[in-house]
Each structure stands twice: as structure tokens, then as C-alpha cells.
């Protein structure tokens, strides 16, 4: 009886993880809805300066994600996003990062949040979010 429950729980876990891998195999086009950065020059400390929204493409290959924007390619290492302590169900999301960029993609709603954090230059702090669609 217990073995059947464990097998069923394992099967459900595999089924919940599988869509995230298959959904990201197709290329996506993402558009920033809002992009805000810190502007240290000419403004008060911590003032927010709106940035021009951009459109970029996402292509996944293995555990790497390629972000193509304005002819430039950035590579991210990705892993499934684990649930928080107070959440019981796993998310269908992945989190990706490279040197100063962090990207979280919700594969159910096709939303993303991106953060740019550079400890060497405070002018390079930016947060943006938006939506994606399949090609």
C-alpha cells in the first residue's frame, strides 16, 4: 500500500517537472512591459528612471538558455525553480543566471522577471518584467 503511494507520488512529480522542459524547447519572444533602473547621475539617491522596453528571443539547449537581443547573445545556466517553504506544490518555472543577470520564467503564464545587479557599478541596477509568447 505504501509502495503504491510512493510510486504514485513519484509519477506525479515527474509529470509536473516534464512540462517545464518541453515548454522551453520551443523558441520564445519576450517583451518587457516595465523596465526600471537606478539613475545616480542628476537625481536623488535611489530615484527610479524608466528605461526603454526591449524585445528579445529565448532559445533553450540542454541546461543553457540563450537570450538574443539586438544582435547580441547572452548565455544563462538554468535550473528548475524550487517552491518556497510555505508553498506545497512545485512551480512550473525556471531560474537562470549569468554573471550579473538573473532571469525567472513562469512557463505556465509565460511571464518573466529579470534583474541586473552589478556590485562594481551602481548605475547598472535594473529590474524588468514582461510576457513571452511562442514562435
Amino acid at each position: 500500500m505504501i509502495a503504491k503511494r510512493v510510486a504514485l507520488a513519484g509519477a506525479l512529480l515527474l509529470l509536473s517537472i516534464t512540462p517545464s522542459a518541453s515548454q522551453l524547447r520551443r523558441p520564445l519572444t519576450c517583451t518587457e512591459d516595465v523596465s526600471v533602473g537606478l539613475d545616480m547621475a542628476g537625481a536623488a539617491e535611489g530615484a527610479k528612471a524608466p528605461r526603454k522596453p526591449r524585445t528579445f528571443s529565448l532559445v533553450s539547449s540542454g541546461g543553457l538558455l540563450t537570450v538574443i537581443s539586438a544582435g547580441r547573445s547572452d548565455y544563462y545556466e538554468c535550473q528548475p525553480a524550487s517552491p518556497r517553504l510555505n508553498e506545497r506544490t512545485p512551480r512550473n518555472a525556471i531560474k537562470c543566471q549569468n554573471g550579473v543577470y538573473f532571469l525567472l520564467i513562469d512557463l505556465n503564464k509565460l511571464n518573466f522577471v529579470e534583474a541586473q545587479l552589478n556590485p562594481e557599478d551602481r548605475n547598472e541596477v535594473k529590474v524588468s518584467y514582461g510576457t513571452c509568447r511562442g514562435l
Side-chain angles (χ1 to χ4, degrees):
M1 184 74 168
I2 293 175
K4 289 181 182 179
R5 288 184 183 175
V6 171
L8 180 61
L12 289 175
L13 179 64
L14 286 175
L15 288 174
S16 68
I17 293 172
T18 303
S20 64
S22 65
Q23 285 172 323
L24 198 59
R25 285 191 185 143
R26 65 176 191 227
L28 298 174
T29 299
C30 300
T31 304
E32 291 178 344
D33 294 335
V34 174
S35 179
V36 177
L38 296 181
D39 185 13
M40 297 299 180
E45 184 82 22
K48 296 177 183 172
R51 308 253 179 174
K52 183 179 177 184
R54 67 185 173 113
T55 300
F56 56 92
S57 298
L58 301 175
V59 179
S60 176
S61 175
L64 295 177
L65 179 74
T66 305
V67 176
I68 304 166
S69 176
R72 182 179 147 197
S73 298
D74 292 319
Y75 301 97
Y76 293 75
E77 292 181 20
C78 299
Q79 60 188 9
S82 57
R84 295 180 184 166
L85 293 176
N86 60 351
E87 295 177 343
R88 302 209 185 270
T89 59
R91 296 180 182 186
N92 193 10
I94 61 167
K95 56 182 176 180
C96 305
Q97 65 183 28
N98 68 7
V100 295
Y101 294 98
F102 300 88
L103 186 65
L104 179 68
I105 304 168
D106 180 349
L107 297 171
N108 286 336
K109 298 177 185 176
L110 290 179
N111 293 332
F112 74 90
V113 175
E114 180 183 40
Q116 176 182 350
L117 307 170
N118 188 352
E120 296 175 358
D121 187 359
R122 290 186 179 186
N123 290 326
E124 290 187 34
V125 174
K126 180 181 93 166
V127 175
S128 60
Y129 65 86
T131 57
C132 300
R133 60 181 166 79
L135 291 176

